[in-house]
Amino acid sequence: MEELKGTPHPLTLVLEEIYAIFAKQGFSVATGPEVEDEWHNFDALNVPKDHPARDMQDTFFIKGKPGAVLRTHTSPVQIRFMKEHTPPFAIIAPGKVFRNESTDATHEMQFHQLEGLVVGEGITVEHLKGTLLSFFKEFFGPETEVRLRPSFFPFVEPGFEVDARVGDKWLEIGGAGMVHPHVFEAVEYSDKNITGFAFGVGVDRLANVKFGIPDVRFEYQGDLRLNQWGREQ
Ligand code: YSA
């Protein structure tokens, strides 16, 4: 029988590379809990109780724990970090997130996101675009391009969809924007000279593109082909 060797999981390799790239740009790493409360996951992020965005992100509520949810994105880490720190700062927040949705090749119920948050005086969309562009060029190669398309997320204004062109394909990688004033109010930042940008990208999709893994569900099924895709044998 062919010998099967163990190797690090693609998500581990991709996250290590992401930390290294952002460390060079002066970002530090922040984390938050996977079981969140609705205030951090929704309210403080300017998502009102009856807003359709709460249905868009089909949420796992925790039985017997009113107000407790499995976080649907890494954006609540923005709130936790801002509550405890004074600008300026630049952080990334990687982590597992959960959505109660049907799965396919690009959707799993459990997946990973990478949040980014930069807050300080005079931060603009140009800084957002420059940060994303230099990250993707280093991650996918110098010929990579980044495109921001107008979009809506309640916690940013303006908001964008982030696409990266890898080879000849444009890939939808995540969302981004300028931190909404209501979010700064929720964390009690009152200095009007303070602005910030944020982004949230799907790490599993980055890993799949990098390693040529055809289906996001393979990341979590113990499939031994994960040892081979995209690796030198
Ligand atoms: C937007 C603006 C900000 O200022 C900060 C963050 C964000 C992103 C926002 N919190 C969010 O979650 N947007 S999203 O629902 O579009 O998901 C972001 C990315 O996660 C997607 O582009 C995709 O790459 C990935 N994703 C979403 N659902 C997924 C998934 N990956 C795997 N399986 C799923 N079910």
Side-chain angles (χ1 to χ4, degrees):
M1 200 179 126
E2 189 196 341
E3 191 189 346
L4 293 170
K5 291 194 198 117
T7 53
H9 194 282
L11 284 171
T12 306
L13 294 175
V14 159
L15 283 168
E16 278 170 3
E17 188 176 353
I18 288 172
Y19 299 150
I21 296 172
F22 278 103
K24 278 193 274 180
Q25 292 197 38
F27 283 70
S28 41
V29 176
T31 54
E34 291 173 6
V35 177
E36 259 300 358
D37 54 64
E38 287 191 74
W39 189 79
H40 286 91
N41 198 78
F42 293 124
D43 301 76
L45 289 162
N46 195 35
V47 186
K49 292 257 182 285
D50 58 350
H51 197 283
R54 292 204 192 202
D55 305 326
M56 253 158 57
Q57 300 192 326
D58 285 342
T59 307
F60 287 112
F61 291 87
I62 311 252
K63 264 193 199 140
K65 271 191 114 190
V69 297
L70 291 182
R71 66 178 176 191
T72 58
H73 51 176
T74 42
S75 301
V77 185
Q78 292 188 31
I79 303 297
R80 289 187 178 272
F81 190 88
M82 286 194 277
K83 291 282 276 179
E84 288 183 0
H85 297 84
T86 310
F89 52 75
I91 56 158
I92 51 167
K96 211 182 275 176
V97 304
F98 308 86
R99 289 185 197 176
N100 186 11
E101 62 186 5
S102 42
T103 65
D104 61 26
T106 51
H107 294 85
E108 183 48 290
M109 280 195 248
Q110 156 189 291
F111 57 101
H112 287 73
Q113 286 189 337
L114 177 82
E115 196 80 7
L117 176 68
V118 174
V119 180
E121 273 188 37
I123 300 292
T124 68
V125 174
E126 266 184 90
H127 296 115
L128 166 64
K129 176 110 195 241
T131 302
L132 290 170
L133 188 60
S134 64
F135 167 70
F136 283 115
K137 278 183 182 295
E138 198 158 346
F139 187 80
F140 283 126
E143 63 295 333
T144 309
E145 292 173 53
V146 169
R147 173 168 84 180
L148 299 181
R149 283 180 293 120
S151 185
F152 175 75
F153 300 94
F155 32 95
V156 285
E157 182 56 42
F160 308 100
E161 244 11 281
V162 179
D163 302 336
R165 192 175 65 78
V166 184
D168 54 5
K169 264 204 201 137
W170 282 101
L171 309 165
E172 279 191 30
I173 303 276
M178 299 303 292
V179 178
H180 197 290
H182 290 173
V183 174
F184 284 146
E185 277 165 33
V187 298
E188 294 169 23
Y189 283 2
S190 53
D191 184 345
K192 295 288 175 231
N193 295 317
I194 295 292
T195 55
F197 71 73
F199 60 83
V201 299
V203 179
D204 307 74
R205 292 192 190 167
L206 295 181
N208 283 12
V209 174
K210 186 114 182 170
F211 286 91
I213 302 168
D215 190 312
V216 83
R217 292 168 292 193
F218 284 134
E219 304 282 0
Y220 302 96
Q221 291 172 343
D223 191 310
L224 288 173
R225 283 174 293 175
L226 277 188
N227 285 326
Q228 287 153 22
W229 274 309
R231 319 279 177 115
E232 304 272 320
Q233 289 302 301

